[in-house]
Amino acid sequence: MAPSPAYALIATDLDGTLLRGDDTVSERTLSALARAARTGARHLVVTGRPAPRVRPLLAALGCTGLAVCGQGAQVYDAGGDRLLWSVRLDREQAEAALGKIEAEVGQVYAAVDQDGVEGLTLIEPGYRMPHPTLPAVRVGRRDDLWGAPISKVLLRHATLSDDELAAVARSVVGPLATVTMSGPGTVELQPCGVTKATGLALAAERLGVAAERSLAFGDMPNDVPMFRWAAHGVAMADAHPELKAVADEVTASNEDDGIAVVLERLFPAD
């Protein structure tokens, strides 16, 4: 099998991109990914979800290779059910970043994703999970969030929009953390310098695929570094304006098989 002359790696975000609103992947999109795979192209999930929250989805998709999780902080081997690489967010830096943000905007509500393939998502009082289907454990106070090493902190504010909260966070945290916004109600702090692009680059190196032969799909600002790394970035129809501004093209929405629309063009029928 000879890879497509253009793309040997297809990197897809999950929420709002590969997944429909009910956390499923359409038959049309599965068929388009299978068609690309027959040419030798590899599909790589690149998601903000931590590895434990991705395992069931990867199993359902039949993925046994690599996945980039936790906004690039984890490279997960689905076949071996193990992390090949992970970066932790230092507790003191996380608390200092939270303090700086709250000094500007008042109280925020926080959650954390613990590191590791069995890590939990812990939420403090007042925090609401943006994805109600994802499991989380409520703790009694903020100090209880730090009982085990974490990969990131998730933030919500009672009145500020995601864009407003992310903008304030970026303006004050400095080198303490990288600030991302990955979906409605999902502003996050992750280890400084870690993005989807850093995790994608590591995974692509292991797969032996250069950035010049990589195609990326996404819908939110956390996908911007991935688009800048890949040769071609495709934003979904309802993507955030910040991502559309750096995209090479815009496709249909995740509900309308936007990934399939592009792959069917790039990887013609057998």
Side-chain angles (χ1 to χ4, degrees):
M1 294 186 300
S4 160
Y7 303 110
L9 181 65
I10 302 164
T12 66
D13 172 48
L14 282 181
D15 297 291
T17 303
L18 181 66
L19 298 180
R20 296 180 292 193
D22 60 358
D23 271 8
T24 63
V25 182
S26 74
E27 289 299 323
R28 181 182 175 187
T29 296
L30 288 173
S31 177
L33 287 168
R35 179 191 300 182
R38 288 193 291 273
T39 74
R42 308 289 289 270
H43 174 217
L44 186 66
V45 167
V46 185
T47 177
R49 296 193 189 195
R53 306 288 87 81
V54 177
R55 293 156 83 188
L57 288 169
L58 295 177
L61 290 170
C63 295
T64 58
L66 303 184
V68 177
C69 306
Q71 305 293 10
Q74 301 171 328
V75 176
Y76 173 65
D77 173 12
D81 191 26
R82 62 194 179 106
L83 290 176
L84 301 181
W85 181 82
S86 67
V87 181
R88 296 171 175 176
L89 178 59
D90 179 78
R91 171 184 175 170
E92 291 185 359
Q93 290 180 306
E95 288 189 300
L98 279 171
K100 286 178 174 292
I101 295 167
E102 290 188 318
E104 296 292 325
V105 301
Q107 184 177 15
V108 298
Y109 300 102
V112 301
D113 285 334
Q114 294 177 332
D115 190 32
V117 294
E118 301 294 341
L120 301 173
T121 297
L122 305 181
I123 59 178
E124 72 174 352
Y127 185 89
R128 292 182 296 106
M129 286 292 290
H131 299 287
T133 60
L134 296 180
V137 176
R138 189 169 297 281
V139 298
R141 56 199 181 107
R142 180 170 293 178
D143 282 349
D144 296 331
L145 298 175
W146 321 116
I150 65 169
S151 59
K152 65 180 178 180
V153 177
L154 301 90
L155 305 175
R156 301 197 74 164
H157 192 274
T159 59
L160 293 180
S161 70
D162 298 330
D163 286 298
E164 290 168 335
L165 180 57
V168 171
R170 290 189 182 110
S171 72
V172 298
V173 302
L176 293 170
T178 295
V179 179
T180 62
M181 182 170 58
S182 59
T186 314
V187 175
E188 302 178 356
L189 306 177
Q190 58 204 65
C192 187
V194 171
T195 67
K196 281 191 174 185
T198 59
L200 175 55
L202 285 169
E205 183 179 11
R206 283 181 173 267
L207 296 173
V209 181
E212 292 75 18
R213 303 201 63 205
S214 300
L215 171 68
F217 293 87
D219 72 314
M220 291 299 290
N222 64 324
D223 296 314
V224 168
M226 179 168 72
F227 275 28
R228 287 177 172 156
W229 182 86
H232 192 78
V234 183
M236 312 309 286
D238 48 0
H240 192 282
E242 189 176 328
L243 186 68
K244 285 184 175 179
V246 301
D248 295 295
E249 69 172 288
V250 177
T251 186
S253 73
N254 58 321
E255 300 292 346
D256 294 319
D257 302 307
I259 289 178
V261 169
V262 174
L263 295 184
E264 288 165 358
R265 184 186 81 232
L266 297 176
F267 298 88
D270 299 335

